[in-house]
Amino acid sequence: MYEWKWMTNDAALEIAEWEYEEPYSFYNLQNDVDDLDEFLNPFRWNHYAAIYEKNELVGFYTFNPLNLEEVEIGLGLRPDLTGKGKGGPFVDYALTVAVKWYEPKKLVVKVAKFNKRAMAVYEKAGFQKTDHFMQHTNGEDVPFVRMEKKVL
């Protein structure tokens, strides 16, 4: 169903232009210059994957090894595909890629607290809420939830 490819300049530039509707516009990369600069930095792309379905760019994954046992996953599904039941399979594929690449004992996601839709998808994939914290992003302090999944 999905196919990953290493991030390319063309894919990164296309993703950077994606615009989500409210309240998810929070995830628009243009909203935070630091996030945008990081995303467009090719030196980070060894941990970034562009995700395709039928040769069409549908999303991305970022992987951040936190230590030898934990990998944090970031992901984004193309805005026109959100809210249509595609989140579950998209997250499942991210987990498959993360486990294959890093062989972690634990996977971590951090979700803006308002994003109940994403948290429900992660919980269905086996993640549990483990912490609440504030993170400075988009020019303000935003409540986030850390979720973890043990890898068997």
Side-chain angles (χ1 to χ4, degrees):
M1 180 174 178
Y2 293 115
E3 176 186 11
W4 72 267
K5 297 180 183 178
W6 294 114
M7 185 63 69
T8 65
N9 190 57
D10 287 343
L13 289 171
E14 182 177 335
I15 292 164
E17 294 296 320
W18 289 353
E19 292 188 15
Y20 296 91
E21 294 183 10
E22 293 294 337
Y24 304 102
S25 64
F26 170 84
Y27 294 104
N28 294 345
L29 286 170
Q30 305 92 341
N31 290 344
D32 190 307
V33 174
D34 292 333
D35 286 349
L36 180 61
D37 286 346
E38 181 179 312
F39 191 82
L40 295 177
N41 181 348
F43 293 105
R44 296 198 45 92
W45 292 347
N46 60 330
H47 295 285
Y48 286 19
I51 308 305
Y52 293 83
E53 185 175 36
K54 299 177 184 170
N55 294 317
E56 185 177 348
L57 181 63
V58 296
F60 68 89
Y61 301 146
T62 64
F63 301 102
N64 179 20
L66 301 173
N67 54 50
L68 293 176
E69 296 185 355
E70 296 179 323
V71 173
E72 180 182 341
I73 300 173
L75 52 86
L77 187 60
R78 200 175 67 212
D80 63 306
L81 301 175
T82 62
K84 298 180 179 176
K86 294 182 177 280
F90 190 71
V91 167
D92 289 343
Y93 187 65
L95 305 182
T96 300
V97 173
V99 169
K100 181 178 179 180
W101 284 9
Y102 300 98
E103 299 179 353
K105 292 185 179 176
K106 187 185 300 180
L107 298 169
V108 176
V109 293
K110 296 176 183 174
V111 186
K113 190 175 181 180
F114 78 85
N115 195 344
K116 306 291 186 208
R117 185 168 72 183
M119 282 190 268
V121 171
Y122 292 131
E123 286 175 334
K124 192 170 181 181
F127 284 83
Q128 297 180 335
K129 296 174 187 171
T130 59
D131 194 15
H132 297 266
F133 62 97
M134 298 298 285
Q135 180 171 314
H136 191 77
T137 186
N138 297 357
E140 61 182 314
D141 291 330
V142 178
F144 270 75
V145 176
R146 177 185 167 106
M147 301 178 76
E148 299 177 355
K149 175 185 170 104
K150 291 182 180 176
V151 178
L152 303 174

